[in-house]
């Protein structure tokens, strides 16, 4: 029997399946500036989308913080206890000064934002099933597994979202992870090693962190890239392998880890994809998901440059302009039988109305 959770509450149909909370952003006396990560990028994405009048505060879904019980669905108590040591969190987040903070501050200023983003990914999983698609503006902590964090990732949000769906949503028994962040997603790979319900496709720079040879054994479709890979080659590989992955796996849900550290000039990613290339990549993935009629959950994952937030917002706007994401389309195209039933009932209501 699954535990009681606040993360699967009903969302008003007037909301976009876009999940966010101001609590995502890490701000603490400039400490966040010591990491190459733009620790306010999530809020900036939302601000750009508001400026473009795509969304408003009351039309997005407010993320809730994942509780200890929620986290225990995947994490070991041993691991969660380790996060009570500031030096452990300093190592995982790669913000060395965190080492000198008392743990209550580390909890409040660093881990709470990450737990809220984790709650957001879990919530977006259910929304994707209900609505055909969902975007968590944060999350995508793909280096964290049940018993180990690293590379800024303290909680295994992708594993959690999938396990919640398997446990709580009837008809969801197969998932495909499409991980297009510049780094190998060794966290979810370790978590789903030998789990045949989860198919993993991973496209990454073969020479950078984490180079986790053991975790690579969990990848069903591995695309290793060289330094400085550019748009044409990249987009062709993404297109071919996304199509191949979906034909091979036929999942009930796609988890799309849409890291933007593939961007040209990224100090960590080592690839050379243009902003337009990122927009085209997201478009290709959503197009494939929609043409196969598979619900898709997107998380934003890595991406460390100042211009990243603008690119993510541009990509979401592009998806909307092309009709690949929309409130109405989402419900009418969803594979979920519950949604189809709702639509049929509402058509029935309309028919009755005209009869009266
Ligand atoms: Zn990355």
């Amino acid at each position: 029997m699954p535990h009681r959770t606040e993360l699967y509450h009903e969302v008003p149909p007037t909301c976009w399946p876009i999940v966010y909370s101001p609590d995502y952003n890490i701000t603490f006396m400039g400490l966040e500036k010591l990491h190459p990560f733009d620790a306010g990028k999530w809020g900036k994405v939302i601000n750009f989308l508001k400026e473009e009048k795509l969304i408003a505060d009351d039309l997005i879904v407010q993320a809730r913080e994942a509780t200890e019980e929620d986290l225990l669905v995947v994490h070991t108590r041993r691991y969660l206890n380790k996060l009570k040591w500031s030096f452990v969190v300093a190592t995982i987040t790669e913000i060395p000064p965190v080492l000198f903070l008392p743990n209550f501050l580390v909890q409040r200023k660093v881990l709470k934002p990450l737990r809220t983003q984790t709650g957001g990914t879990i919530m977006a999983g259910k929304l994707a099933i209900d609505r055909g698609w969902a975007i968590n503006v944060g999350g995508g902590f793909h280096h964290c597994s049940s018993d180990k964090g690293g590379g800024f990732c303290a909680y295994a949000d992708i594993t959690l979202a999938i396990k919640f769906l398997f446990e709580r949503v009837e008809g969801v028994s197969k998932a495909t992870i499409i991980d297009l962040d510049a780094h190998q997603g060794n966290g979810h790979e370790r978590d789903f090693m030998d789990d045949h319900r989860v198919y993993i496709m991973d496209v990454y720079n073969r020479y950078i962190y984490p180079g986790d040879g053991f975790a690579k054994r969990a990848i069903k479709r591995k695309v290793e890239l060289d330094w400085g890979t550019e748009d044409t080659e990249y987009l062709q590989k993404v297109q071919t392998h996304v199509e191949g992955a979906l034909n091979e796996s036929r999942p009930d849900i796609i988890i799309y880890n849409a890291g933007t550290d593939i961007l040209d000039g990224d100090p960590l990613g080592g690839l050379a994809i243009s902003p337009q290339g990122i927009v085209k990549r997201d478009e290709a993935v959503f197009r494939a998901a929609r043409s196969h009629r598979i619900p898709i959950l997107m998380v934003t994952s890595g991406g460390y440059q100042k211009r990243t937030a603008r690119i993510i917002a541009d990509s979401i706007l592009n998806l909307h302009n092309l009709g690949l994401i929309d409130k109405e389309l989402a419900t009418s195209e969803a594979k979920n039988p519950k949604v189809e039933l709702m639509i049929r009932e509402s058509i029935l209501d309309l028919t009755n109305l005209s009869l009266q």
Side-chain angles (χ1 to χ4, degrees):
M1 188 66 187
H3 74 280
R4 237 188 71 78
T5 181
E6 293 295 310
L7 300 176
Y8 266 28
H9 72 291
E10 287 302 318
V11 165
T14 47
C15 279
W16 285 88
I18 294 178
V19 186
Y20 170 74
S21 159
D23 289 345
Y24 280 14
N25 304 292
I26 300 168
T27 48
F28 185 62
M29 302 192 312
L31 200 67
E32 70 280 4
K33 296 193 178 71
L34 296 169
H35 191 276
F37 210 98
D38 176 6
K41 85 165 173 183
W42 309 286
K44 288 178 197 156
V45 172
I46 288 293
N47 284 338
F48 287 132
L49 294 177
K50 280 195 222 163
E51 274 170 30
E52 304 282 347
K53 306 267 183 288
L54 181 75
I55 54 168
D57 278 330
D58 53 340
L59 295 181
I60 58 175
V61 179
Q62 281 286 322
R64 300 182 184 197
E65 185 181 349
T67 63
E68 185 167 37
E69 254 195 313
D70 294 326
L71 297 170
L72 283 169
V73 167
V74 164
H75 288 294
T76 58
R77 208 173 276 281
R78 193 182 83 107
Y79 174 71
L80 296 181
N81 283 338
K82 273 204 288 193
L83 296 179
K84 291 175 183 157
W85 296 91
S86 296
F87 78 87
V88 173
V89 181
T91 309
I92 290 172
T93 57
E94 297 170 355
I95 312 174
V98 163
L99 170 63
F100 303 108
L101 293 182
N103 194 260
F104 79 92
L105 277 180
V106 174
Q107 292 292 333
R108 194 187 302 161
K109 296 292 183 176
V110 181
L111 293 177
K112 186 180 176 190
L114 301 182
R115 279 194 297 266
T116 309
Q117 295 194 30
T118 298
T121 302
I122 297 169
M123 291 166 72
K126 178 170 185 291
L127 274 167
I129 296 294
D130 290 344
R131 309 280 286 270
W133 66 277
I135 295 172
N136 180 15
V137 174
F141 305 129
H142 64 159
H143 299 306
C144 187
S145 60
S146 62
D147 200 31
K148 196 173 190 310
F152 192 72
C153 306
Y155 302 106
D157 65 325
I158 293 174
T159 309
L160 278 159
I162 294 173
K163 292 238 158 122
F164 266 69
L165 287 170
F166 284 173
E167 279 182 5
R168 292 165 192 266
V169 180
E170 217 183 316
V172 181
S173 58
K174 285 170 74 188
T176 292
I177 300 170
I178 297 177
D179 193 333
L180 302 188
D181 184 275
H183 300 87
Q184 179 202 347
N186 60 326
H188 55 72
E189 284 157 14
R190 282 173 174 264
D191 284 337
F192 291 118
M193 184 76 63
D194 300 323
D195 188 331
H196 298 294
R197 298 171 299 176
V198 181
Y199 180 106
I200 298 172
M201 164 178 162
D202 201 346
V203 183
Y204 54 88
N205 182 342
R206 68 165 86 208
Y207 300 110
I208 59 173
Y209 177 90
D212 188 335
F214 173 73
K216 283 182 189 177
R217 288 166 34 189
I219 308 175
K220 289 282 187 318
R221 204 171 264 264
K222 182 171 67 184
V223 184
E224 296 193 317
L225 304 172
D226 286 314
W227 292 113
T229 301
E230 293 178 4
D231 286 15
T232 313
E233 180 193 347
Y234 180 75
L235 289 172
Q236 189 254 317
K237 283 185 169 161
V238 165
Q239 211 135 21
T240 308
H241 289 288
V242 167
E243 200 54 39
L246 295 185
N247 282 330
E248 221 167 89
S249 58
R250 308 239 144 247
D252 304 309
I253 177 92
I254 296 166
I255 291 84
Y256 172 32
N257 195 48
T260 43
D261 48 3
I262 59 168
L263 182 63
D264 188 28
D266 188 284
L268 302 173
L271 303 172
I273 309 306
S274 70
Q276 191 54 25
I278 290 177
V279 171
K280 287 280 164 211
R281 173 196 69 169
D282 295 348
E283 185 186 320
V285 176
F286 270 78
R287 223 180 259 292
R290 305 230 64 102
S291 73
H292 287 260
R293 299 174 142 249
I294 303 165
I296 179 168
L297 153 62
M298 169 174 151
V299 290
T300 59
S301 200
Y304 308 90
Q305 299 184 67
K306 288 285 172 220
R307 56 186 177 144
T308 301
R310 180 72 243 184
I311 298 168
I312 296 170
D314 283 344
S315 179
I316 293 172
L317 290 163
N318 179 61
L319 294 173
H320 179 242
N321 290 339
L322 294 171
L324 291 167
I325 59 171
D326 218 333
K327 278 193 260 185
E328 295 73 27
L329 188 85
T331 41
S332 64
E333 271 202 352
K335 187 187 167 189
N336 189 338
K338 206 172 83 190
V339 173
E340 276 167 19
L341 189 70
M342 261 165 53
I343 294 165
R344 243 179 290 142
E345 278 168 356
S346 58
I347 293 170
L348 219 62
D349 282 349
L350 287 174
T351 325
N352 287 343
L353 213 68
S354 57
L355 286 174
Q356 281 161 2

